[in-house]
Amino acid sequence: QVQLQQSGPGLVKPSQTLSLTCVISGDSISSNSATWNWIRQSPSRGLEWLGRTYYRSKWYYDYAASVRSRITVNPDTSKNQFSLQLYSVTPDDTAVYYCARVEGPTTFDSWGQGTLVTVSS
Amino acid sequence: QSVLTQPPSVSAAPGQKVTISCSGSSSNIGNNYVSWYQQLPGTAPKVLIYETNKRPPGIPDRFSGSKSGTSATLGITGLQTGDEADYYCGTWDGSLSAEVFGGGTKLTVL
């Protein structure tokens, strides 16, 4: 059974960087069949996919157009985890952030517990 | 606004059947598998249906999924009060190169 455990601050100041980590148990970040994703949810935006990383003989990264200029998703094979960094945040980035795994075609079958991140001074 | 369109709310009595629609386009639903998720208050979404019409282990056969053209449907029979939740459809959009979701449908079991 795959489990995803999120950690990171719940309050970030405007213009600063939002950083979250997702620790994986029960699977490998280097799996050749899974992708590792970040999704956020807010009343104004609903569920919004932000980006992913995955390994297929090398590392790949895909990002949503809405955040592409200010997002990084990074794998950490030594700790079997991956991270999200969202730069230059504004109050509009306030949301619950989830990490999630896709195993097989396009289904998020395992989710982290969610982290409410508030952007406020 | 979301790429996929769902009704904001549906309701039905216990024991009855309800369907939730999800409308998209050829770049998403029309050419990709659809997933359905159930979200109870304060929890992460949970997959109910994957690959358009398959149920993960532990999901009762009261839940079903189907697709026709650029629309997908989630069906729930034998409604129970425990089914009250928000339901979301999701799929890959080839034009956007992104995962996309519907805006969610709140199910009320009267």
Side-chain angles (χ1 to χ4, degrees), chain B residues 60-93:
Chain B
D61 60 5
R62 301 188 298 106
F63 296 91
S64 64
S66 63
K67 185 177 86 167
S68 178
T70 59
S71 292
T73 301
L74 172 70
I76 311 173
T77 60
L79 278 171
Q80 303 173 1
T81 55
D83 296 332
E84 286 201 333
D86 294 325
Y87 293 83
Y88 295 89
C89 56
T91 188
W92 179 260
D93 189 298

PDB file of all heavy atoms in Angstrom, chain B residues 60-93:
ATOM      1  N   PRO B  60     -17.615  -0.483  -4.117  1.00  0.00           N
ATOM      2  CA  PRO B  60     -18.774  -1.340  -4.427  1.00  0.00           C
ATOM      3  C   PRO B  60     -19.286  -1.128  -5.844  1.00  0.00           C
ATOM      4  O   PRO B  60     -19.070  -0.070  -6.449  1.00  0.00           O
ATOM      5  CB  PRO B  60     -19.820  -0.903  -3.386  1.00  0.00           C
ATOM      6  CG  PRO B  60     -19.378   0.425  -2.898  1.00  0.00           C
ATOM      7  CD  PRO B  60     -17.905   0.486  -3.055  1.00  0.00           C
ATOM      8  N   ASP B  61     -19.969  -2.152  -6.344  1.00  0.00           N
ATOM      9  CA  ASP B  61     -20.484  -2.081  -7.718  1.00  0.00           C
ATOM     10  C   ASP B  61     -21.700  -1.173  -7.836  1.00  0.00           C
ATOM     11  O   ASP B  61     -22.295  -1.060  -8.916  1.00  0.00           O
ATOM     12  CB  ASP B  61     -20.777  -3.485  -8.262  1.00  0.00           C
ATOM     13  CG  ASP B  61     -21.811  -4.241  -7.450  1.00  0.00           C
ATOM     14  OD1 ASP B  61     -22.382  -3.640  -6.508  1.00  0.00           O
ATOM     15  OD2 ASP B  61     -22.038  -5.429  -7.735  1.00  0.00           O
ATOM     16  N   ARG B  62     -22.064  -0.483  -6.759  1.00  0.00           N
ATOM     17  CA  ARG B  62     -23.089   0.562  -6.859  1.00  0.00           C
ATOM     18  C   ARG B  62     -22.566   1.754  -7.665  1.00  0.00           C
ATOM     19  O   ARG B  62     -23.345   2.566  -8.166  1.00  0.00           O
ATOM     20  CB  ARG B  62     -23.488   1.068  -5.470  1.00  0.00           C
ATOM     21  CG  ARG B  62     -24.037   0.023  -4.543  1.00  0.00           C
ATOM     22  CD  ARG B  62     -24.585   0.640  -3.256  1.00  0.00           C
ATOM     23  NE  ARG B  62     -23.601   1.336  -2.449  1.00  0.00           N
ATOM     24  CZ  ARG B  62     -23.508   2.673  -2.329  1.00  0.00           C
ATOM     25  NH1 ARG B  62     -24.356   3.462  -2.978  1.00  0.00           N
ATOM     26  NH2 ARG B  62     -22.580   3.212  -1.536  1.00  0.00           N
ATOM     27  N   PHE B  63     -21.255   1.845  -7.780  1.00  0.00           N
ATOM     28  CA  PHE B  63     -20.612   2.933  -8.528  1.00  0.00           C
ATOM     29  C   PHE B  63     -20.210   2.422  -9.909  1.00  0.00           C
ATOM     30  O   PHE B  63     -19.595   1.350 -10.031  1.00  0.00           O
ATOM     31  CB  PHE B  63     -19.380   3.448  -7.791  1.00  0.00           C
ATOM     32  CG  PHE B  63     -19.684   4.086  -6.460  1.00  0.00           C
ATOM     33  CD1 PHE B  63     -19.688   3.326  -5.300  1.00  0.00           C
ATOM     34  CD2 PHE B  63     -19.982   5.443  -6.380  1.00  0.00           C
ATOM     35  CE1 PHE B  63     -19.971   3.909  -4.073  1.00  0.00           C
ATOM     36  CE2 PHE B  63     -20.264   6.031  -5.161  1.00  0.00           C
ATOM     37  CZ  PHE B  63     -20.266   5.255  -4.000  1.00  0.00           C
ATOM     38  N   SER B  64     -20.546   3.177 -10.936  1.00  0.00           N
ATOM     39  CA  SER B  64     -20.205   2.763 -12.294  1.00  0.00           C
ATOM     40  C   SER B  64     -19.820   3.976 -13.125  1.00  0.00           C
ATOM     41  O   SER B  64     -20.223   5.105 -12.822  1.00  0.00           O
ATOM     42  CB  SER B  64     -21.389   2.038 -12.954  1.00  0.00           C
ATOM     43  OG  SER B  64     -22.484   2.922 -13.094  1.00  0.00           O
ATOM     44  N   GLY B  65     -19.028   3.748 -14.154  1.00  0.00           N
ATOM     45  CA  GLY B  65     -18.607   4.816 -15.037  1.00  0.00           C
ATOM     46  C   GLY B  65     -18.812   4.445 -16.485  1.00  0.00           C
ATOM     47  O   GLY B  65     -18.735   3.272 -16.856  1.00  0.00           O
ATOM     48  N   SER B  66     -19.093   5.456 -17.294  1.00  0.00           N
ATOM     49  CA  SER B  66     -19.264   5.231 -18.724  1.00  0.00           C
ATOM     50  C   SER B  66     -18.852   6.488 -19.473  1.00  0.00           C
ATOM     51  O   SER B  66     -18.641   7.549 -18.878  1.00  0.00           O
ATOM     52  CB  SER B  66     -20.716   4.855 -19.047  1.00  0.00           C
ATOM     53  OG  SER B  66     -21.584   5.925 -18.723  1.00  0.00           O
ATOM     54  N   LYS B  67     -18.735   6.333 -20.795  1.00  0.00           N
ATOM     55  CA  LYS B  67     -18.338   7.475 -21.632  1.00  0.00           C
ATOM     56  C   LYS B  67     -19.009   7.345 -22.985  1.00  0.00           C
ATOM     57  O   LYS B  67     -19.164   6.244 -23.519  1.00  0.00           O
ATOM     58  CB  LYS B  67     -16.813   7.494 -21.801  1.00  0.00           C
ATOM     59  CG  LYS B  67     -16.280   8.709 -22.541  1.00  0.00           C
ATOM     60  CD  LYS B  67     -14.755   8.700 -22.606  1.00  0.00           C
ATOM     61  CE  LYS B  67     -14.227   7.915 -23.770  1.00  0.00           C
ATOM     62  NZ  LYS B  67     -12.770   8.167 -23.991  1.00  0.00           N
ATOM     63  N   SER B  68     -19.392   8.479 -23.528  1.00  0.00           N
ATOM     64  CA  SER B  68     -19.917   8.521 -24.882  1.00  0.00           C
ATOM     65  C   SER B  68     -19.405   9.794 -25.539  1.00  0.00           C
ATOM     66  O   SER B  68     -19.745  10.898 -25.092  1.00  0.00           O
ATOM     67  CB  SER B  68     -21.452   8.504 -24.879  1.00  0.00           C
ATOM     68  OG  SER B  68     -21.947   8.599 -26.195  1.00  0.00           O
ATOM     69  N   GLY B  69     -18.590   9.645 -26.561  1.00  0.00           N
ATOM     70  CA  GLY B  69     -18.039  10.807 -27.240  1.00  0.00           C
ATOM     71  C   GLY B  69     -17.174  11.638 -26.303  1.00  0.00           C
ATOM     72  O   GLY B  69     -16.178  11.162 -25.764  1.00  0.00           O
ATOM     73  N   THR B  70     -17.587  12.884 -26.093  1.00  0.00           N
ATOM     74  CA  THR B  70     -16.808  13.796 -25.253  1.00  0.00           C
ATOM     75  C   THR B  70     -17.451  14.019 -23.891  1.00  0.00           C
ATOM     76  O   THR B  70     -17.162  15.016 -23.218  1.00  0.00           O
ATOM     77  CB  THR B  70     -16.608  15.136 -25.960  1.00  0.00           C
ATOM     78  OG1 THR B  70     -17.888  15.714 -26.250  1.00  0.00           O
ATOM     79  CG2 THR B  70     -15.820  14.973 -27.266  1.00  0.00           C
ATOM     80  N   SER B  71     -18.321  13.093 -23.491  1.00  0.00           N
ATOM     81  CA  SER B  71     -18.949  13.183 -22.165  1.00  0.00           C
ATOM     82  C   SER B  71     -18.804  11.871 -21.422  1.00  0.00           C
ATOM     83  O   SER B  71     -18.831  10.796 -22.023  1.00  0.00           O
ATOM     84  CB  SER B  71     -20.426  13.537 -22.290  1.00  0.00           C
ATOM     85  OG  SER B  71     -20.599  14.853 -22.766  1.00  0.00           O
ATOM     86  N   ALA B  72     -18.674  11.993 -20.111  1.00  0.00           N
ATOM     87  CA  ALA B  72     -18.592  10.824 -19.243  1.00  0.00           C
ATOM     88  C   ALA B  72     -19.654  10.935 -18.168  1.00  0.00           C
ATOM     89  O   ALA B  72     -20.136  12.039 -17.862  1.00  0.00           O
ATOM     90  CB  ALA B  72     -17.201  10.727 -18.608  1.00  0.00           C
ATOM     91  N   THR B  73     -19.999   9.787 -17.612  1.00  0.00           N
ATOM     92  CA  THR B  73     -21.045   9.754 -16.596  1.00  0.00           C
ATOM     93  C   THR B  73     -20.648   8.835 -15.446  1.00  0.00           C
ATOM     94  O   THR B  73     -20.145   7.726 -15.673  1.00  0.00           O
ATOM     95  CB  THR B  73     -22.371   9.262 -17.198  1.00  0.00           C
ATOM     96  OG1 THR B  73     -22.758  10.129 -18.267  1.00  0.00           O
ATOM     97  CG2 THR B  73     -23.474   9.244 -16.152  1.00  0.00           C
ATOM     98  N   LEU B  74     -20.906   9.316 -14.247  1.00  0.00           N
ATOM     99  CA  LEU B  74     -20.770   8.492 -13.047  1.00  0.00           C
ATOM    100  C   LEU B  74     -22.171   8.135 -12.582  1.00  0.00           C
ATOM    101  O   LEU B  74     -23.030   9.016 -12.459  1.00  0.00           O
ATOM    102  CB  LEU B  74     -20.038   9.249 -11.944  1.00  0.00           C
ATOM    103  CG  LEU B  74     -19.990   8.562 -10.571  1.00  0.00           C
ATOM    104  CD1 LEU B  74     -19.071   7.343 -10.616  1.00  0.00           C
ATOM    105  CD2 LEU B  74     -19.529   9.544  -9.487  1.00  0.00           C
ATOM    106  N   GLY B  75     -22.422   6.860 -12.345  1.00  0.00           N
ATOM    107  CA  GLY B  75     -23.703   6.411 -11.834  1.00  0.00           C
ATOM    108  C   GLY B  75     -23.540   5.844 -10.436  1.00  0.00           C
ATOM    109  O   GLY B  75     -22.561   5.153 -10.145  1.00  0.00           O
ATOM    110  N   ILE B  76     -24.487   6.168  -9.589  1.00  0.00           N
ATOM    111  CA  ILE B  76     -24.495   5.634  -8.232  1.00  0.00           C
ATOM    112  C   ILE B  76     -25.904   5.105  -7.961  1.00  0.00           C
ATOM    113  O   ILE B  76     -26.884   5.845  -8.057  1.00  0.00           O
ATOM    114  CB  ILE B  76     -24.151   6.695  -7.165  1.00  0.00           C
ATOM    115  CG1 ILE B  76     -22.885   7.480  -7.542  1.00  0.00           C
ATOM    116  CG2 ILE B  76     -23.964   6.037  -5.800  1.00  0.00           C
ATOM    117  CD1 ILE B  76     -22.582   8.659  -6.624  1.00  0.00           C
ATOM    118  N   THR B  77     -26.002   3.822  -7.658  1.00  0.00           N
ATOM    119  CA  THR B  77     -27.295   3.219  -7.336  1.00  0.00           C
ATOM    120  C   THR B  77     -27.367   2.932  -5.845  1.00  0.00           C
ATOM    121  O   THR B  77     -26.348   2.954  -5.138  1.00  0.00           O
ATOM    122  CB  THR B  77     -27.493   1.910  -8.120  1.00  0.00           C
ATOM    123  OG1 THR B  77     -26.435   1.001  -7.766  1.00  0.00           O
ATOM    124  CG2 THR B  77     -27.447   2.174  -9.619  1.00  0.00           C
ATOM    125  N   GLY B  78     -28.574   2.668  -5.372  1.00  0.00           N
ATOM    126  CA  GLY B  78     -28.757   2.338  -3.964  1.00  0.00           C
ATOM    127  C   GLY B  78     -28.147   3.381  -3.042  1.00  0.00           C
ATOM    128  O   GLY B  78     -27.393   3.043  -2.125  1.00  0.00           O
ATOM    129  N   LEU B  79     -28.514   4.641  -3.276  1.00  0.00           N
ATOM    130  CA  LEU B  79     -27.873   5.738  -2.537  1.00  0.00           C
ATOM    131  C   LEU B  79     -27.967   5.569  -1.029  1.00  0.00           C
ATOM    132  O   LEU B  79     -28.999   5.153  -0.485  1.00  0.00           O
ATOM    133  CB  LEU B  79     -28.513   7.065  -2.926  1.00  0.00           C
ATOM    134  CG  LEU B  79     -28.009   7.697  -4.228  1.00  0.00           C
ATOM    135  CD1 LEU B  79     -28.880   8.882  -4.602  1.00  0.00           C
ATOM    136  CD2 LEU B  79     -26.553   8.103  -4.115  1.00  0.00           C
ATOM    137  N   GLN B  80     -26.836   5.925  -0.376  1.00  0.00           N
ATOM    138  CA  GLN B  80     -26.765   5.884   1.068  1.00  0.00           C
ATOM    139  C   GLN B  80     -26.359   7.262   1.576  1.00  0.00           C
ATOM    140  O   GLN B  80     -25.728   8.034   0.862  1.00  0.00           O
ATOM    141  CB  GLN B  80     -25.732   4.831   1.507  1.00  0.00           C
ATOM    142  CG  GLN B  80     -26.000   3.438   0.974  1.00  0.00           C
ATOM    143  CD  GLN B  80     -24.882   2.475   1.275  1.00  0.00           C
ATOM    144  OE1 GLN B  80     -23.873   2.817   1.902  1.00  0.00           O
ATOM    145  NE2 GLN B  80     -25.058   1.219   0.853  1.00  0.00           N
ATOM    146  N   THR B  81     -26.693   7.556   2.813  1.00  0.00           N
ATOM    147  CA  THR B  81     -26.331   8.863   3.363  1.00  0.00           C
ATOM    148  C   THR B  81     -24.816   9.052   3.364  1.00  0.00           C
ATOM    149  O   THR B  81     -24.320  10.175   3.234  1.00  0.00           O
ATOM    150  CB  THR B  81     -26.880   9.023   4.786  1.00  0.00           C
ATOM    151  OG1 THR B  81     -26.418   7.927   5.590  1.00  0.00           O
ATOM    152  CG2 THR B  81     -28.413   9.034   4.783  1.00  0.00           C
ATOM    153  N   GLY B  82     -24.090   7.968   3.474  1.00  0.00           N
ATOM    154  CA  GLY B  82     -22.625   8.035   3.447  1.00  0.00           C
ATOM    155  C   GLY B  82     -22.052   8.404   2.102  1.00  0.00           C
ATOM    156  O   GLY B  82     -20.849   8.677   1.990  1.00  0.00           O
ATOM    157  N   ASP B  83     -22.908   8.421   1.061  1.00  0.00           N
ATOM    158  CA  ASP B  83     -22.445   8.825  -0.276  1.00  0.00           C
ATOM    159  C   ASP B  83     -22.422  10.335  -0.434  1.00  0.00           C
ATOM    160  O   ASP B  83     -21.940  10.839  -1.454  1.00  0.00           O
ATOM    161  CB  ASP B  83     -23.349   8.216  -1.354  1.00  0.00           C
ATOM    162  CG  ASP B  83     -23.291   6.696  -1.389  1.00  0.00           C
ATOM    163  OD1 ASP B  83     -22.247   6.125  -1.005  1.00  0.00           O
ATOM    164  OD2 ASP B  83     -24.297   6.081  -1.799  1.00  0.00           O
ATOM    165  N   GLU B  84     -22.964  11.068   0.540  1.00  0.00           N
ATOM    166  CA  GLU B  84     -22.939  12.528   0.450  1.00  0.00           C
ATOM    167  C   GLU B  84     -21.487  13.007   0.440  1.00  0.00           C
ATOM    168  O   GLU B  84     -20.727  12.776   1.383  1.00  0.00           O
ATOM    169  CB  GLU B  84     -23.687  13.175   1.617  1.00  0.00           C
ATOM    170  CG  GLU B  84     -25.201  13.066   1.512  1.00  0.00           C
ATOM    171  CD  GLU B  84     -25.905  14.112   2.360  1.00  0.00           C
ATOM    172  OE1 GLU B  84     -25.308  14.555   3.364  1.00  0.00           O
ATOM    173  OE2 GLU B  84     -27.040  14.474   2.027  1.00  0.00           O
ATOM    174  N   ALA B  85     -21.130  13.658  -0.652  1.00  0.00           N
ATOM    175  CA  ALA B  85     -19.736  14.064  -0.861  1.00  0.00           C
ATOM    176  C   ALA B  85     -19.666  14.920  -2.110  1.00  0.00           C
ATOM    177  O   ALA B  85     -20.673  15.134  -2.794  1.00  0.00           O
ATOM    178  CB  ALA B  85     -18.834  12.843  -1.027  1.00  0.00           C
ATOM    179  N   ASP B  86     -18.478  15.397  -2.405  1.00  0.00           N
ATOM    180  CA  ASP B  86     -18.213  16.052  -3.677  1.00  0.00           C
ATOM    181  C   ASP B  86     -17.577  15.040  -4.627  1.00  0.00           C
ATOM    182  O   ASP B  86     -16.712  14.261  -4.216  1.00  0.00           O
ATOM    183  CB  ASP B  86     -17.268  17.243  -3.486  1.00  0.00           C
ATOM    184  CG  ASP B  86     -17.899  18.358  -2.675  1.00  0.00           C
ATOM    185  OD1 ASP B  86     -19.129  18.571  -2.807  1.00  0.00           O
ATOM    186  OD2 ASP B  86     -17.181  19.006  -1.899  1.00  0.00           O
ATOM    187  N   TYR B  87     -17.999  15.068  -5.872  1.00  0.00           N
ATOM    188  CA  TYR B  87     -17.506  14.124  -6.875  1.00  0.00           C
ATOM    189  C   TYR B  87     -16.862  14.897  -8.021  1.00  0.00           C
ATOM    190  O   TYR B  87     -17.420  15.888  -8.496  1.00  0.00           O
ATOM    191  CB  TYR B  87     -18.643  13.250  -7.393  1.00  0.00           C
ATOM    192  CG  TYR B  87     -19.172  12.314  -6.330  1.00  0.00           C
ATOM    193  CD1 TYR B  87     -20.114  12.748  -5.402  1.00  0.00           C
ATOM    194  CD2 TYR B  87     -18.693  11.006  -6.231  1.00  0.00           C
ATOM    195  CE1 TYR B  87     -20.577  11.895  -4.403  1.00  0.00           C
ATOM    196  CE2 TYR B  87     -19.148  10.150  -5.242  1.00  0.00           C
ATOM    197  CZ  TYR B  87     -20.086  10.605  -4.333  1.00  0.00           C
ATOM    198  OH  TYR B  87     -20.527   9.766  -3.329  1.00  0.00           O
ATOM    199  N   TYR B  88     -15.693  14.426  -8.436  1.00  0.00           N
ATOM    200  CA  TYR B  88     -14.923  15.100  -9.489  1.00  0.00           C
ATOM    201  C   TYR B  88     -14.564  14.122 -10.599  1.00  0.00           C
ATOM    202  O   TYR B  88     -14.201  12.967 -10.336  1.00  0.00           O
ATOM    203  CB  TYR B  88     -13.619  15.672  -8.926  1.00  0.00           C
ATOM    204  CG  TYR B  88     -13.796  16.768  -7.910  1.00  0.00           C
ATOM    205  CD1 TYR B  88     -13.931  16.476  -6.564  1.00  0.00           C
ATOM    206  CD2 TYR B  88     -13.829  18.106  -8.303  1.00  0.00           C
ATOM    207  CE1 TYR B  88     -14.102  17.475  -5.625  1.00  0.00           C
ATOM    208  CE2 TYR B  88     -13.997  19.117  -7.373  1.00  0.00           C
ATOM    209  CZ  TYR B  88     -14.123  18.795  -6.035  1.00  0.00           C
ATOM    210  OH  TYR B  88     -14.291  19.798  -5.109  1.00  0.00           O
ATOM    211  N   CYS B  89     -14.639  14.597 -11.836  1.00  0.00           N
ATOM    212  CA  CYS B  89     -14.108  13.824 -12.949  1.00  0.00           C
ATOM    213  C   CYS B  89     -12.732  14.399 -13.314  1.00  0.00           C
ATOM    214  O   CYS B  89     -12.432  15.553 -13.014  1.00  0.00           O
ATOM    215  CB  CYS B  89     -15.033  13.867 -14.153  1.00  0.00           C
ATOM    216  SG  CYS B  89     -15.445  15.521 -14.755  1.00  0.00           S
ATOM    217  N   GLY B  90     -11.908  13.581 -13.924  1.00  0.00           N
ATOM    218  CA  GLY B  90     -10.575  14.016 -14.320  1.00  0.00           C
ATOM    219  C   GLY B  90     -10.061  13.200 -15.480  1.00  0.00           C
ATOM    220  O   GLY B  90     -10.447  12.041 -15.674  1.00  0.00           O
ATOM    221  N   THR B  91      -9.204  13.814 -16.278  1.00  0.00           N
ATOM    222  CA  THR B  91      -8.597  13.129 -17.406  1.00  0.00           C
ATOM    223  C   THR B  91      -7.382  13.924 -17.884  1.00  0.00           C
ATOM    224  O   THR B  91      -7.097  15.009 -17.369  1.00  0.00           O
ATOM    225  CB  THR B  91      -9.608  12.961 -18.561  1.00  0.00           C
ATOM    226  OG1 THR B  91      -9.033  12.127 -19.587  1.00  0.00           O
ATOM    227  CG2 THR B  91      -9.967  14.304 -19.180  1.00  0.00           C
ATOM    228  N   TRP B  92      -6.697  13.403 -18.858  1.00  0.00           N
ATOM    229  CA  TRP B  92      -5.567  14.100 -19.469  1.00  0.00           C
ATOM    230  C   TRP B  92      -6.085  14.904 -20.657  1.00  0.00           C
ATOM    231  O   TRP B  92      -6.936  14.450 -21.414  1.00  0.00           O
ATOM    232  CB  TRP B  92      -4.515  13.108 -19.945  1.00  0.00           C
ATOM    233  CG  TRP B  92      -3.342  13.744 -20.602  1.00  0.00           C
ATOM    234  CD1 TRP B  92      -3.107  13.848 -21.951  1.00  0.00           C
ATOM    235  CD2 TRP B  92      -2.233  14.383 -19.969  1.00  0.00           C
ATOM    236  NE1 TRP B  92      -1.930  14.510 -22.177  1.00  0.00           N
ATOM    237  CE2 TRP B  92      -1.369  14.844 -20.981  1.00  0.00           C
ATOM    238  CE3 TRP B  92      -1.879  14.609 -18.634  1.00  0.00           C
ATOM    239  CZ2 TRP B  92      -0.182  15.519 -20.702  1.00  0.00           C
ATOM    240  CZ3 TRP B  92      -0.700  15.266 -18.354  1.00  0.00           C
ATOM    241  CH2 TRP B  92       0.142  15.716 -19.377  1.00  0.00           C
ATOM    242  N   ASP B  93      -5.554  16.105 -20.804  1.00  0.00           N
ATOM    243  CA  ASP B  93      -5.895  16.931 -21.956  1.00  0.00           C
ATOM    244  C   ASP B  93      -4.666  17.037 -22.861  1.00  0.00           C
ATOM    245  O   ASP B  93      -3.657  17.614 -22.459  1.00  0.00           O
ATOM    246  CB  ASP B  93      -6.356  18.321 -21.513  1.00  0.00           C
ATOM    247  CG  ASP B  93      -6.933  19.130 -22.666  1.00  0.00           C
ATOM    248  OD1 ASP B  93      -6.179  19.398 -23.635  1.00  0.00           O
ATOM    249  OD2 ASP B  93      -8.111  19.490 -22.620  1.00  0.00           O
TER     250      ASP B  93
END
